[in-house]
Amino acid sequence: MNWLMKDTPPGSNPMGPEDDQKAAWDLFRKAYERQMKGEFDEAVKLYTGSIELYPTAEAYTFRGWTYSFMGRIDEAIEDCHRAITVDPDFGNPYNDIGAYLIEKGQLDDAIEWLERATRAKRYESPAFPHRTWGGCTRKSGIGTRPSTATSTR
């Protein structure tokens, strides 16, 4: 593909934005397949390629999720923050930050993020923040829960 980019200024792309978006989606799908097979290093590379072509909240969130499987929790949290920057209405990264903070033992900080997840306008699984917090309260005996506000898609 380098031959295609020859003689073009840095940062320009002879392909249109729709082509970048489609190529990014193809890389995202391949990354997810690798992630589900436990091939985390390859999944991270593919998610990164997707992000470089066309950054989406989903790609950042899923790359973060992959980092979490690798024990790289701080990087997972950073990617969730990037996802929120791209699309603050996407609820998944809020929940994921809450889950990662719970994993790190930062329960008080996790509450804020799980609350935000319940208010997200676009969320694949709006019940997740409640489940995430429920699992934590069973382990710790803490009673404070995210609000019962529901999000809409």
Side-chain angles (χ1 to χ4, degrees):
M1 181 109 142
N2 286 339
W3 62 269
L4 183 62
M5 301 304 287
K6 198 172 186 176
D7 299 327
T8 60
S12 71
N13 186 344
M15 295 174 18
E18 298 84 20
D19 294 322
D20 283 350
Q21 191 172 2
K22 182 185 178 320
W25 174 244
D26 289 340
L27 286 173
F28 178 89
R29 285 194 346 247
K30 289 176 185 174
Y32 181 75
E33 290 171 10
R34 294 297 178 94
Q35 180 183 356
M36 292 300 103
K37 291 179 181 177
E39 299 172 10
F40 302 130
D41 289 327
E42 186 61 26
V44 166
K45 289 177 190 173
L46 291 165
Y47 283 129
T48 300
S50 175
I51 290 165
E52 288 171 352
L53 281 173
Y54 192 88
T56 64
E58 291 83 358
Y60 279 119
T61 301
F62 277 72
R63 186 175 70 177
W65 189 31
T66 305
Y67 282 142
S68 77
F69 289 147
M70 300 167 82
R72 295 163 60 178
I73 301 302
D74 290 334
E75 288 170 275
I77 292 170
E78 289 172 15
D79 265 359
C80 287
H81 285 291
R82 289 180 185 107
I84 292 165
T85 298
V86 172
D87 182 359
D89 291 335
F90 186 50
N92 299 50
Y94 296 99
N95 179 77
D96 290 358
I97 290 172
Y100 302 146
L101 291 173
I102 289 168
E103 191 171 329
K104 291 178 74 167
Q106 299 174 4
L107 304 181
D108 290 338
D109 295 332
I111 294 170
E112 173 190 349
W113 290 99
L114 296 173
E115 286 279 351
R116 286 178 168 188
T118 65
R119 294 188 301 267
K121 293 179 184 174
R122 188 170 73 88
Y123 200 170
E124 296 299 317
S125 302
F128 274 7
H130 302 286
R131 286 188 202 149
T132 301
W133 190 248
C136 176
T137 58
R138 281 193 301 278
K139 290 179 188 173
S140 68
I142 297 171
T144 306
R145 295 182 54 97
S147 71
T148 56
T150 57
S151 60
T152 58
R153 205 159 179 225

